[in-house]
Amino acid sequence: MLLLAVDTATPAVTVALHDGRDTVAESNQVDARRHGELLLPSVDRVLAEAGLKLDALTGIVVGVGPGPYTGLRVGLATATTFAAVLGIPVHGLCTLDGLAYAAGAAGIEGPFTVATDARRKEVYWARYEDPLTRVGEPAVDRPADIAEQVAGVPAVGQGARLYPQVFTDARDPEHQSAAALAALAAHRLEAGLDFLPPAPLYLRRPDAQVPKNYKVVTPQ
């Protein structure tokens, strides 16, 4: 088994190779505006570090969000293209689940909350009983509106750091890690569990919309 994991659903541009037991190589950069510029060089870098080529891969793992439209589509488009060209499966995982798995590796057993920055003074978030068990579906909300639901438990992710008045026990990890995402995928493959399709989990409409009262001008 050799998995290439990528995630661009958060400000982190993160890539990792995983052999089913351990991380072989990884690259992590935080830059919310350069996902498209950084992702492919990061893939090249981890492959070079491992002394491998793309044709050695047996599967692709991709974080499907939730996340902002522009960044999220970079990772998904790259993952699905690699999988199609190489003829290998692509496994989608919730980005928040990857952060939860990383929280477990950092010693957080649960219950806890994962929260990432959704912009517009909102967070993408979910509650977890433990690093492998999410409670309900991911959501997007203003932190003040979920204060009672997240009170009294640790929280990980950049969203928790941005709103300390609500997430009063913010802990590491702050950013997504493709190494954790790949390790979670390896665990799920070994257990015979299902994956999400490689489709974006936006949770809300894109910022760009057709203006109201838009007039279409066509030749007579």
Side-chain angles (χ1 to χ4, degrees):
M1 179 189 297
L2 186 64
L3 302 173
L4 173 70
V6 301
D7 197 322
T8 58
T10 71
V13 180
T14 179
V15 178
L17 285 172
H18 197 282
D19 65 5
R21 298 180 302 276
D22 298 296
T23 300
V24 177
E26 63 179 309
S27 171
N28 299 290
Q29 300 174 81
V30 179
D31 191 329
R33 298 182 180 277
R34 299 178 62 212
H35 294 88
E37 296 176 45
L38 297 175
L39 182 57
L40 288 178
S42 296
V43 172
D44 288 342
R45 187 161 51 251
V46 297
L47 288 169
E49 182 179 334
L52 298 169
K53 295 184 178 181
L54 274 175
D55 59 9
L57 301 176
T58 61
I60 308 290
V61 181
V62 63
V64 302
Y69 176 79
T70 302
L72 181 53
R73 63 180 179 171
V74 171
L76 285 164
T78 300
T80 53
T81 299
F82 282 165
V85 170
L86 297 170
I88 57 178
V90 56
H91 309 295
L93 285 173
C94 174
T95 294
L96 302 183
D97 291 355
L99 272 161
Y101 195 83
I108 302 176
E109 297 180 354
F112 61 92
T113 301
V114 176
T116 61
D117 183 17
R119 305 173 186 172
R120 303 182 191 174
K121 299 182 180 180
E122 294 179 332
V123 293
Y124 298 116
W125 70 285
R127 283 284 300 265
Y128 290 79
E129 285 298 326
D130 58 60
L132 290 171
T133 309
R134 175 162 31 91
V135 181
E137 296 300 318
V140 57
D141 289 290
R142 289 183 177 272
D145 294 340
I146 60 171
E148 291 186 6
Q149 298 177 65
V150 303
V153 297
V156 303
Q158 187 184 38
R161 297 296 182 91
L162 289 173
Y163 303 98
Q165 70 277 19
V166 173
F167 302 97
T168 56
D169 186 9
R171 305 185 188 182
D172 289 334
E174 179 178 358
H175 294 292
Q176 174 68 313
S177 160
L181 197 71
L184 174 59
H187 167 80
R188 295 185 67 86
L189 285 167
E190 184 176 359
L193 300 176
D194 292 333
F195 289 85
L196 297 172
L201 182 61
Y202 292 132
L203 298 188
R204 66 186 181 201
R205 295 174 62 87
D207 290 335
Q209 298 182 27
V210 176
K212 293 181 179 179
N213 302 319
Y214 180 74
K215 295 182 179 180
V216 178
V217 179
T218 56
Q220 297 297 324

